[in-house]
Amino acid sequence: MLKPSYIIANKDEVIKSLKKRNFNSEVLIEELISLDNERKIIQTEYESKLSQSNSISKNIGKLFKEGKKEETVVLKEKSLKIKNETKSLSEKLNMIKIQINNILFQIPNVPNQNVPNGNTQDDNIVIYESKTKINPKAKIPHWELAEKYDIIDFELGNKITGSGFPVYKGKGAKLQRALISFFLDCNISSGYEEVQVPHLVNEKSAFGTGQLPDKEGQMYSIPTDNLFLIPTAEVPITNIFRDQIIDEVSLPILKTGYTPCFRREAGSYGSHVRGLNRLHQFDKVEIVRVDHPEK
C-alpha cells in the first residue's frame, strides 16, 4: 500500500503510472489530498488542545496545594470543556484516518517504469520465450488420463460439493500426498522452516496480504465468525509478520508450508480450463521469503 505522503508528493507521476494499469486514480487522489489537508488541521487543533489540557492540569495541582479553591474550580470546569473538545477532535481524526485508509486500499501499487502502456496481452513486449518440446504421441489430455486410470473423479466431487472440487482416488490420492511431502522436504533442505498454519484467516490478515477490500468476491467466507478460507498458504504465513518491525540482521526469513487452498475462481469455463484448472479447492506447498528489497 502506498503512503499518503508519497502519493501527494508525486501526484502527477502516480496518476500517469497507474494509467499503465488502466486505473484512473485522479478522483481518488484528489479526495485523498482533501482529506489529508483536513486531517492536518484537526491534528494541529487536537495537539493544541492536548497541550492546553496538560498545562491546566499542572496549574490545578499547583493552585490546589496553595489552597486557592475558587480558582481551582474555574480551571477544572475549563479543563473538562477542553477534554470534551479533545475527545470530539480525536473521534473526527480517527474517522478521517479510516476514510484515508479506505482510499489507500483502492489505489494499487505503481508499475515499474519499464512496463509498457497497453490494454491487452497483445501489447506486452516479449523479452524471451521458452517453448517446451512435447512428444507428438502425448495427445491424451490429463482429464482423460485421470478417468482412464481412475485416479481423479471430477463427477464424484461435483456430486459431493460442486464443480471445482475433485476427488483423488487410489494412486491419485497417494501421488497427491507424496508430492506434498516431496516439495516440503525439498524446501526444508534448501533452508526453509516448515510451519503449519490455520486454513482460516480474519479480516486484518486478508487486508494484510491484499485480498481485501477488492478481492472478497474471490474468497469463501464464514460471515458468522467474519473469517475467510485461505486462497493460498502465503496469506497466513505472511501474516505471521504483520504489525512487526523486523531487524535487518535477522533477514532473510524463510518459511514453507502446505495447505489446501480455496478460491471461487469466477470466470469462463471453456475447454481450455477443463480438468485440474479453475479448481475451487486444491493443494499447494508455498514458500515465503522475507528479505531486503535489494535482494
Side-chain angles (χ1 to χ4, degrees), residues 12-22 110-111 117:
D12 293 337
E13 186 59 36
V14 170
I15 291 171
K16 181 181 175 183
S17 296
L18 289 177
K19 283 181 179 177
K20 287 184 177 182
R21 301 186 66 163
N22 297 312
V110 294
N117 290 314

Side-chain angles (χ1 to χ4, degrees), residues 23-290:
F23 186 87
N24 193 337
S25 59
E26 289 181 47
V27 174
L28 283 172
I29 290 177
E30 288 301 333
E31 191 178 346
L32 173 68
I33 292 169
S34 176
L35 283 169
D36 195 59
N37 287 335
E38 191 177 348
R39 178 197 62 79
K40 288 174 183 176
I41 292 167
I42 295 172
Q43 182 88 42
T44 302
E45 192 177 352
Y46 172 72
E47 289 173 359
S48 175
K49 294 288 182 186
L50 275 181
S51 179
Q52 287 179 49
S53 182
N54 291 335
S55 177
I56 289 170
S57 294
K58 289 178 183 178
N59 286 334
I60 288 172
K62 185 180 176 183
L63 291 170
F64 184 78
K65 287 178 181 178
E66 294 173 355
K68 298 177 180 178
K69 292 183 180 180
E70 289 182 8
E71 292 179 46
T72 302
V73 170
V74 171
L75 275 185
K76 279 185 176 180
E77 288 176 356
K78 187 177 180 181
S79 175
L80 182 61
K81 183 186 176 185
I82 290 174
K83 282 180 179 177
N84 288 334
E85 290 171 347
T86 303
K87 184 183 176 184
S88 177
L89 287 168
S90 177
E91 289 170 355
K92 285 181 182 179
L93 199 57
N94 287 333
M95 283 300 297
I96 287 177
K97 286 178 179 178
I98 290 169
Q99 288 176 279
I100 287 173
N101 271 335
N102 287 338
I103 289 174
L104 293 175
F105 286 135
Q106 296 176 63
I107 299 174
N109 282 326
V110 294
N112 187 281
Q113 62 181 2
N114 295 323
V115 174
N117 290 314
N119 296 313
T120 69
Q121 63 181 20
D122 297 327
D123 298 314
N124 290 331
I125 296 171
V126 177
I127 297 171
Y128 67 88
E129 191 172 3
S130 176
K131 290 185 178 180
T132 303
K133 290 183 179 179
I134 299 174
N135 190 320
K137 295 180 180 179
K139 295 178 180 179
I140 304 174
H142 75 271
W143 53 86
E144 289 184 17
L145 288 171
E147 185 179 2
K148 179 181 178 180
Y149 295 106
D150 196 26
I151 56 174
I152 307 173
D153 196 323
F154 297 101
E155 292 303 317
L156 187 55
N158 193 42
K159 170 190 169 183
I160 296 168
T161 308
S163 176
F165 295 89
V167 173
Y168 297 85
K169 301 162 66 177
K171 289 182 179 179
K174 188 175 183 179
L175 176 62
Q176 190 82 341
R177 175 166 48 85
L179 283 171
I180 291 165
S181 294
F182 171 74
F183 285 121
L184 281 172
D185 289 343
C186 281
N187 294 342
I188 291 165
S189 67
S190 296
Y192 287 79
E193 179 188 38
E194 183 182 359
V195 288
Q196 199 172 64
V197 289
H199 302 163
L200 293 161
V201 292
N202 57 32
E203 199 172 68
K204 284 186 177 180
S205 293
F207 268 101
T209 44
Q211 276 67 43
L212 296 180
D214 61 342
K215 297 182 182 68
E216 60 266 36
Q218 298 174 29
M219 301 176 75
Y220 286 100
S221 62
I222 303 173
T224 305
D225 302 298
N226 198 26
L227 296 174
F228 299 87
L229 285 164
I230 60 170
T232 164
E234 176 192 344
V235 175
I237 293 176
T238 304
N239 273 283
I240 290 171
F241 309 101
R242 176 164 49 84
D243 297 330
Q244 286 186 28
I245 296 175
I246 298 168
D247 196 319
E248 193 173 340
V249 296
S250 65
L251 300 177
I253 298 172
L254 311 177
K255 302 288 183 184
T256 186
Y258 153 71
T259 64
C261 305
F262 304 89
R263 298 183 189 179
R264 281 207 172 98
E265 285 289 6
S268 62
Y269 289 86
S271 60
H272 63 292
V273 290
R274 288 181 63 186
L276 295 174
N277 293 308
R278 289 285 183 188
L279 295 183
H280 296 308
Q281 178 182 323
F282 56 93
D283 293 309
K284 188 177 180 186
V285 173
E286 187 73 76
I287 58 172
V288 171
R289 179 185 178 110
V290 182

